[in-house]
Amino acid sequence: VQLQASGGGLVQAGGSLRLSCAASGHTFSSYAMGWFRQAPGKEREFVTAIRWSGGGTYYTDSVKGRFTISRDNAKNTVYLQMNSLKPEDTAVYYCAAGLRLIASMIRFPTSYDYWGQGTQVTVSS
């Protein structure tokens, strides 16, 4: 199973980016997909996730109303649309896949089985 994240970059505050995470080697539709981020000197934190059936999405409070997660099971890809970016969103963003995660597990990094390599997002003020 491999996850390939892309789409990061440098953007000014208030701008937008769309991250993509392409999966290969497994039945993508059976996996919950999550995005986590890690800033320098900080622990990896949950950003958002989408259930394996696509029926539920979850967001950390700081990104609600600004970020949107979606998935295209036909393309084995999950997307993270990030709008109204803030300097505090600066981090390395990781996508992750977890098999049939239930809601109570979905915010914890240890619940996920596979991780992408990360993509840097830098928001300048």
Side-chain angles (χ1 to χ4, degrees):
V1 176
Q2 292 185 334
L3 301 176
Q4 182 71 40
S6 61
L10 173 64
V11 64
Q12 289 187 335
S16 299
L17 285 173
R18 189 175 83 153
L19 306 184
S20 299
C21 177
S24 62
H26 68 299
T27 306
F28 179 74
S29 60
S30 298
Y31 284 77
M33 299 297 296
W35 286 97
F36 291 77
R37 65 187 180 187
Q38 189 166 17
K42 296 188 177 181
E43 294 187 353
R44 190 168 299 188
E45 66 170 352
F46 171 78
V47 177
T48 181
I50 186 166
R51 292 284 301 277
W52 61 274
S53 63
T57 56
Y58 308 83
Y59 297 90
T60 193
D61 287 346
S62 62
V63 307
K64 284 180 181 177
R66 300 188 298 122
F67 290 12
T68 303
I69 190 171
S70 61
R71 66 190 295 162
D72 185 337
N73 287 341
K75 295 183 178 180
N76 283 8
T77 301
V78 63
Y79 303 99
L80 178 60
Q81 178 66 45
M82 305 186 294
N83 298 328
S84 302
L85 283 161
K86 303 176 181 180
E88 51 263 43
D89 295 318
T90 295
V92 177
Y93 283 69
Y94 297 90
C95 61
L99 183 61
R100 298 181 184 267
L101 296 183
I102 59 176
S104 61
M105 300 169 62
I106 212 160
R107 296 174 183 268
F108 301 99
T110 54
S111 299
Y112 290 79
D113 305 298
Y114 304 102
W115 291 83
Q117 85 286 4
T119 185
Q120 176 71 47
V121 171
T122 303
V123 184
S124 63
S125 57

